[in-house]
Amino acid sequence: MLPLTTEERRIDRREWLWVGAVSLLLMLAFSLPYLVGWLNSTPDMAFGGALFAVDDINSYLAKMRYGARHGWLFQLVYTTEPHDGGFIIPHLLGLGKLAALLSGEGAKVSARTLIIAYHAARIVCGLALLGVLYRFVADYLSSRGVRRLAWALASAVAGLGWLTTLGGADSLPLEFYVPEAFSLLQLYGLPHLALARALLLGGWLLLFRALETGRYLPAAGAGLCWLGMSLIVPFYAALLGVLIVVWLVALSLLRREIALREFRYAAVGGALPAATLVYNALLFTRNPVFATWSAQNQLSSPPPVDFVLAYGPLIILAAVGAATLLRRGVLREAAAQPRWALLLTWPPIAAILVALPINVQRRLLEGVVVPLAVLAALGAGRLVGAPGEGRARMAWWARQAALAVVFVLLAGTPVLLIAGGAALASAPQWPIFHPADELAALNWLRDHAPADSHVLSTFESGNVLPAHAGVRVVVGHGPETVNALEKKEQALRFFHGGMTDAERQALLSRYGVRYVWVGPPEWPETCDAHCFDPAALGLRAVFTAGDYAIYEVSAS
């Protein structure tokens, strides 16, 4: 019943031990496909450490390598246009520096070391998120059983979109490609997003603590949490700002007066992330290369039916939970304990944000699964009710069974993720695995090419090169390569035919290319005219191994 006292929100030692044990098991489950990959590595084919979003994870490894070789001002390595660096992604730069330091490999840290560091961060950040999630749900729920249900819904399950994959749907459900929608992908392979969510929720917990104690120190702690969050994902600061504004407006309406006290504490907590938001807004508008990166990062929302499949069961249960709270007088309680206003306003605001005409629509779902899970757990408890006697008890068991079926269905996504990942890891194929000759060529480039040398390859090879060799590529990543579509087509014509040698020479000169990378994606299956001929271009072979070759461009 409302309100919850401080004692009711407390988590004792035994409860934390349970959370820790289950969290370790959950992270172990998400690590199993990677273990399968490493166990299936052979001297001829080595596991690359990524089982989904391979292009993006290669870009994260490339940023870690940049951190190992350079300072704290980052420049894009998937494009060759000259530009000033910016203070962004310090988490990846710092992780790269730490890996280089602890391994003793320095600036030329191996890709294997970077991959190990990335997965160590995945486990640590995943455990941190799971701990913060439990602390957050416990702030609203006093019953251990309901807390555990809410925590499971927020961390270990997703929606029903996976059912469409069994029917051979052409597109993936959003649970499999929108990491902000649930927590699964963050735990499975995106440590920076897991950490960002932990900091987002941790900031709110500290802000509520500041309001309860009347001390500004916890509010300053919230500001540090949200600063860290905004350094990891800059536009989360804008999402946070919207949540804070709506929360303050809701409190003011409930009290019929401006919530000045909450405004002061929120101002303390929001000052630092607001500053990073301003900095990044200036950086991504005034720096032409960063502006292009932002413009090309198109992440539109999926069709409404995908949202219904993903969130339908949670929304139904959450609606029951919200109705139960309203009957218990939660609006009156929200005026006194502001955490309840956040719980009720966050989901509808997220529904509005994902429809806004901006390039990162779907990513504005960040964190919404948490309040939905809390409300859904309350709704599930309301629907099940008390056991009763006789027929009432039989009906209670029927309701229990029905909800159990729903929760089993919601567990389909993690089961498919783990099973699908293990299947990929069991069949060594590029780009999940890398041939020994390719790794030898990458290592030669890492050890011999001057830092940040420009390399031309196809898009596919170009995605791997910066992660393993610390070079810059003409093309290799959709958002991070300036004019990526045009350059992808140019690279294909350069290698597969359709470009004269004079045009090839002009292309090499235009992008300041020092090395030309040639592997299976670069060799054309057939070429009838204007075929790629290294000798005709005056290229000098500096490395060859099997199907791979590296050519140096003549200085003239």
Side-chain angles (χ1 to χ4, degrees):
M1 295 296 291
L2 301 175
L4 291 185
T5 64
T6 301
E7 181 61 25
E8 288 175 319
R9 297 199 301 269
R10 191 175 71 87
I11 305 173
D12 62 28
R13 182 173 177 271
R14 289 184 62 188
E15 198 171 354
W16 274 124
L17 287 174
W18 181 89
V19 173
V22 178
S23 296
L24 287 171
L25 289 174
L26 188 58
M27 293 308 300
L28 175 61
F30 280 121
S31 298
L32 287 177
Y34 299 105
L35 294 175
V36 172
W38 275 306
L39 290 174
N40 276 285
S41 289
T42 67
D44 295 326
M45 291 289 283
F47 179 52
L51 291 169
F52 76 105
V54 176
D55 286 5
D56 286 334
I57 292 177
N58 277 334
S59 80
Y60 304 148
L61 296 175
K63 293 173 177 68
M64 291 170 61
R65 183 172 296 284
Y66 188 97
R69 302 183 74 158
H70 299 287
W72 292 97
L73 295 180
F74 175 70
Q75 295 182 358
L76 293 178
V77 295
Y78 283 101
T79 200
T80 55
E81 283 75 10
H83 59 284
D84 294 328
F87 184 70
I88 57 172
I89 57 161
H91 55 293
L92 290 173
L93 300 180
L95 184 58
K97 292 179 186 297
L98 183 62
L101 176 65
L102 294 181
S103 67
E105 295 172 337
K108 294 184 179 180
V109 58
S110 67
R112 181 180 178 84
T113 296
L114 294 178
I115 292 168
I116 292 172
Y118 185 85
H119 281 284
R122 177 181 63 83
I123 293 171
V124 170
C125 294
L127 291 173
L129 172 59
L130 291 170
V132 174
L133 275 174
Y134 197 86
R135 175 63 270 175
F136 191 89
V137 302
D139 254 30
Y140 294 94
L141 306 168
S142 59
S143 165
R144 283 189 182 183
V146 181
R147 285 178 179 179
R148 292 173 180 179
L149 176 58
W151 182 68
L153 292 174
S155 61
V157 301
L160 301 178
W162 66 273
L163 293 172
T164 64
T165 64
L166 302 182
D170 294 332
S171 60
L172 283 174
L174 69 84
E175 297 96 314
F176 288 85
Y177 69 92
V178 183
E180 288 83 4
F182 296 92
S183 298
L184 299 178
L185 292 179
Q186 297 182 359
L187 300 175
Y188 187 35
L190 300 170
H192 61 296
L193 295 185
L195 180 57
R197 179 172 294 179
L199 292 170
L200 171 62
L201 298 174
W204 279 108
L205 289 172
L206 286 169
L207 182 61
F208 296 146
R209 176 65 61 86
L211 291 169
E212 286 181 343
T213 61
R215 299 168 59 225
Y216 280 98
L217 186 59
L224 291 176
C225 283
W226 289 337
L227 171 64
M229 174 204 71
S230 59
L231 289 174
I232 295 171
V233 189
F235 71 83
Y236 281 9
L239 170 62
L240 172 67
V242 172
L243 291 176
I244 289 176
V245 169
V246 173
W247 173 68
L248 290 172
V249 170
L251 288 176
S252 299
L253 291 174
L254 289 172
R255 296 174 183 171
R256 299 183 180 180
E257 62 180 20
I258 297 176
L260 287 176
R261 182 170 181 268
E262 285 75 12
F263 176 83
R264 289 194 297 268
Y265 284 95
V268 172
L272 290 175
T276 64
L277 183 63
V278 171
Y279 170 77
N280 281 282
L282 293 173
L283 177 65
F284 281 86
T285 52
R286 295 185 177 182
N287 186 313
V289 170
F290 280 75
T292 302
W293 177 14
S294 177
Q296 293 180 160
N297 194 30
Q298 296 296 322
L299 301 169
S300 59
S301 292
V305 65
D306 287 11
F307 285 109
V308 172
L309 286 170
Y311 289 109
L314 279 183
I315 290 174
I316 293 171
L317 291 173
V320 175
T324 302
L325 289 175
L326 291 173
R327 284 196 297 269
R328 293 178 181 177
V330 71
L331 294 181
R332 292 191 302 274
E333 182 58 29
Q337 289 192 7
R339 58 172 50 85
W340 294 101
L342 176 68
L343 186 73
L344 295 175
T345 56
W346 195 339
I349 288 302
I352 295 172
L353 291 176
V354 295
L356 293 179
I358 58 177
N359 64 322
V360 290
Q361 277 180 321
R362 65 183 186 233
R363 299 197 67 181
L364 297 177
L365 288 168
E366 171 54 38
V368 70
V369 68
V370 182
L372 279 177
V374 173
L375 292 169
L378 286 168
R382 177 70 179 86
L383 289 175
V384 170
E389 299 294 338
R391 291 183 178 180
R393 191 172 186 83
M394 293 179 61
W396 178 78
W397 278 111
R399 293 193 297 271
Q400 289 265 52
L403 280 173
V405 170
V406 172
F407 295 143
V408 167
L409 289 174
L410 294 180
T413 299
V415 170
L416 281 183
L417 277 177
I418 294 170
L424 278 175
S426 300
Q429 291 184 350
W430 195 87
I432 304 297
F433 288 76
H434 296 280
D437 290 340
E438 180 191 17
L439 293 176
L442 289 166
N443 291 338
W444 185 95
L445 203 57
R446 180 196 67 205
D447 294 336
H448 294 86
D452 300 320
S453 297
H454 294 184
V455 180
L456 176 65
S457 68
T458 59
F459 180 95
E460 292 76 13
S461 298
N463 183 252
V464 177
L465 286 164
H468 285 253
V471 294
R472 298 193 184 202
V473 292
V474 174
V475 62
H477 193 271
E480 296 182 32
T481 298
V482 173
N483 300 324
L485 292 178
E486 176 186 345
K487 289 179 181 177
K488 185 175 183 179
E489 189 272 337
Q490 288 174 344
L492 285 174
R493 291 178 60 229
F494 182 97
F495 289 105
H496 293 180
M499 184 179 287
T500 66
D501 287 338
E503 290 172 328
R504 288 188 174 95
Q505 292 284 11
L507 186 71
L508 296 175
S509 177
R510 182 188 316 163
Y511 296 123
V513 175
R514 178 156 183 172
Y515 296 99
V516 175
W517 170 278
V518 180
E522 286 71 33
W523 293 117
E525 294 183 5
T526 59
C527 181
D528 298 327
H530 299 298
C531 301
F532 168 62
D533 182 359
L537 298 174
L539 302 179
R540 181 174 68 93
V542 292
F543 180 90
T544 58
D547 294 331
Y548 295 86
I550 300 172
Y551 296 93
E552 187 172 16
V553 178
S554 172
S556 60

